[in-house]
Amino acid sequence: MSAKSVQFQDNEDQVNSLPKLASYRRIVVKIGSALLVDRVTGLKRDWLESLGTDVAALSASGVEMMIVSSGAIALGRTVLGLPKGALRLEESQAAAAAGQIELAKAYAEVLSHHKLRAGQILLTLADTEERRRYLNARATVGTLLRLEAVPVINENDTVATTEIRYGDNDRLAARVATMMGADLLILLSDIDGLYTAPPHQNPHAQFLPVIDAITPDVEAMAGAAASEYSRGGMKTKLDAGKIANAAGTAMIIASGTRLNPLAAIDRGERSTMFKASLTPVNAWKTWISGNLEPSGRLVIDEGALVALKSGKSLLAAGVREVAGQFTRGDTVAVFGPDGREAARGLIAYDAADAVKIAGRKTNEIGTILGYDARSAMIHRDDLVVRAAKRAATAKE
Ligand code: GLU
């Protein structure tokens, strides 16, 4: 963790046993609808302004911030004057359409007060579960972060149908966090953390500040799922925690019912921290190196091998041979000139294109393929270089 200092001005007298938020590298903050939208008066602008201040403070300390925001349907109900009570699917989709445009505008305005830009991303379940779409979504969100814009993400409720949607933004936020290798996910809602039993049902329930692992015993504390209309109860939050923690992302559940909710967490107000067992980078790399059967093979030259070992991406220029049937995003094994497996990674090209550009310089690739392609054959973030003594030979 870097030694970045916290920019918040609030008093810091209170003991905080959790690492300060500014020590994280990438944070996804999920905002529940009730925090943002009042049934009668609509958008809670003061609250959103205070969130914007916190996001800007963390962003100024070098944390890459992403927001997953609910509230489109709730806001759209107000905008379209829909009656209280359950909505039909097409009504809630229309509400999402009308609400999302307002929501995006509000985020863009609030962030612009801190000279930050916002980029709206609307995802469906398939965008995070199908490999190619996943890679595209990841590339877009990553590009926004590089351009120092804050991605503001929601489910694309206007087209997602019941069977193929997340339906709750807790799990969506967890998938976004793991997709982007975030080291922290913060779920802000009206619940301030995990108790040994649902506190509204059991007055003796005790608050739990830190959870090392979401075991069946921990899950039992959440109680049964709330009604089918109440999304995002403690059960979906623990589901989100399992997705996040398994991929190396820690999770905090905290109340957002106060102004400056992130500053409140930072100064140690009540919240529950769910620890991750691995770092996100290690989790991602473990997944690449261990869990997938390579669909192709590349043989590279000595220069490329030296570059890989020093942490660089694999460029087409250093690739001598390409074998196997693979598509972009598949895992391939990379062999050195001595025939030993040197690395594994997710390839950025389909096999046919990889064959065409093998051995060619980066500036020739656009002409050869007829489209403006990514330059690396395997980006270093998607590459795991094997330790020399454990390398297998190509013949094995
Ligand atoms: N995507 C929904 C919306 O923006 C919210 C889902 C949820 O509350 O978890 O209205």
Side-chain angles (χ1 to χ4, degrees):
M1 293 284 132
S2 66
K4 287 174 279 183
S5 65
V6 178
Q7 306 278 306
F8 299 130
Q9 300 305 309
D10 308 61
N11 85 62
E12 299 214 0
D13 307 339
Q14 297 171 56
V15 183
N16 184 359
S17 59
L18 303 176
K20 297 286 189 197
L21 297 182
S23 70
Y24 289 89
R25 197 174 43 82
R26 269 188 184 176
I27 300 181
V28 173
V29 185
K30 182 258 167 176
I31 317 292
S33 300
L35 300 177
L36 263 178
V37 186
D38 180 280
R39 272 253 159 110
V40 181
T41 53
L43 193 72
K44 297 183 185 171
R45 202 163 270 276
D46 288 354
W47 187 87
L48 190 56
E49 288 287 354
S50 83
L51 176 79
T53 306
D54 287 0
V55 167
L58 284 167
S59 180
S61 352
V63 186
E64 291 178 316
M65 298 296 292
M66 288 169 269
I67 296 173
V68 172
S69 183
S70 303
I73 297 174
L75 195 56
R77 284 180 95 113
T78 320
V79 171
L80 297 178
L82 288 164
K84 276 190 181 168
L87 297 178
R88 294 200 306 273
L89 176 65
E90 59 277 19
E91 285 173 330
S92 61
Q93 293 189 311
Q100 183 62 38
I101 205 165
E102 293 292 320
L103 200 59
K105 193 170 86 186
Y107 274 103
E109 273 171 22
V110 160
L111 291 169
S112 77
H113 298 157
H114 303 278
K115 303 207 163 35
L116 286 172
R117 281 147 303 169
Q120 176 184 257
I121 308 267
L122 297 179
L123 295 173
T124 59
L125 186 69
D127 293 321
T128 59
E129 308 308 298
E130 274 173 32
R131 190 156 42 193
R132 280 155 183 255
R133 291 167 70 169
Y134 173 97
L135 288 174
N136 275 329
R138 191 164 69 112
T140 309
V141 178
T143 306
L144 281 171
L145 292 175
R146 255 198 315 287
L147 297 172
E148 295 183 7
V150 179
V152 178
I153 301 163
N154 196 356
E155 182 157 21
N156 194 349
D157 295 308
T158 58
V159 294
T161 55
T162 332
E163 312 80 58
I164 49 156
R165 62 198 295 258
Y166 276 98
D168 70 86
N169 276 1
D170 293 329
R171 289 177 311 138
L172 172 67
R175 289 298 280 139
V176 167
T178 61
M179 176 170 88
M180 300 314 300
D183 42 4
L184 181 65
L185 165 66
I186 301 177
L187 301 182
L188 290 180
S189 69
D190 50 6
I191 304 167
D192 58 5
L194 182 69
Y195 291 75
T196 50
H200 55 281
Q201 288 167 12
N202 183 342
H204 304 296
Q206 279 169 9
F207 179 75
L208 298 164
V210 181
I211 299 292
D212 287 319
I214 304 176
T215 58
D217 287 351
V218 170
E219 287 183 76
M221 296 172 190
S227 80
E228 78 182 278
Y229 299 111
S230 148
R231 301 194 191 101
M234 188 50 77
K235 191 177 174 310
T236 62
K237 292 189 169 29
L238 294 186
D239 287 345
K242 286 197 285 184
I243 296 169
N245 292 171
T249 306
M251 181 175 88
I252 289 177
I253 295 180
S255 169
T257 53
R258 44 171 96 85
L259 295 179
N260 298 98
L262 301 181
I265 297 173
D266 210 73
R267 64 172 179 261
E269 300 233 346
R270 185 172 270 196
S271 65
T272 301
M273 159 65 89
F274 297 80
K275 289 188 181 169
S277 43
L278 294 166
T279 67
V281 172
N282 287 344
W284 177 237
K285 299 222 162 178
T286 305
W287 183 77
I288 292 172
S289 65
N291 299 355
L292 297 172
E293 198 47 44
S295 353
R297 273 171 34 108
L298 306 179
V299 180
I300 61 172
D301 64 22
E302 193 59 43
L305 186 61
V306 171
L308 291 199
K309 287 185 175 159
S310 68
K312 302 233 167 70
S313 297
L314 175 63
L315 301 181
V319 177
R320 283 187 186 165
E321 277 175 51
V322 177
Q325 288 305 316
F326 51 82
T327 52
R328 180 163 111 71
D330 282 346
T331 305
V332 297
V334 180
F335 294 88
D338 59 355
R340 287 179 174 275
E341 184 175 330
R344 271 185 195 193
L346 304 188
I347 190 143
Y349 295 91
D350 293 345
D353 286 351
V355 168
K356 287 186 207 153
I357 62 171
R360 308 298 285 265
K361 297 224 170 61
T362 299
N363 60 11
E364 298 175 298
I365 292 178
T367 324
I368 296 168
L369 297 182
Y371 61 88
D372 197 15
R374 289 148 217 263
S375 56
M377 191 82 104
I378 303 178
H379 190 272
R380 62 194 165 92
D381 288 350
D382 300 332
L383 191 68
V384 185
V385 179
R386 310 212 129 199
K389 54 181 181 308
R390 278 191 281 121
T393 67
K395 284 151 211 97
E396 274 172 10

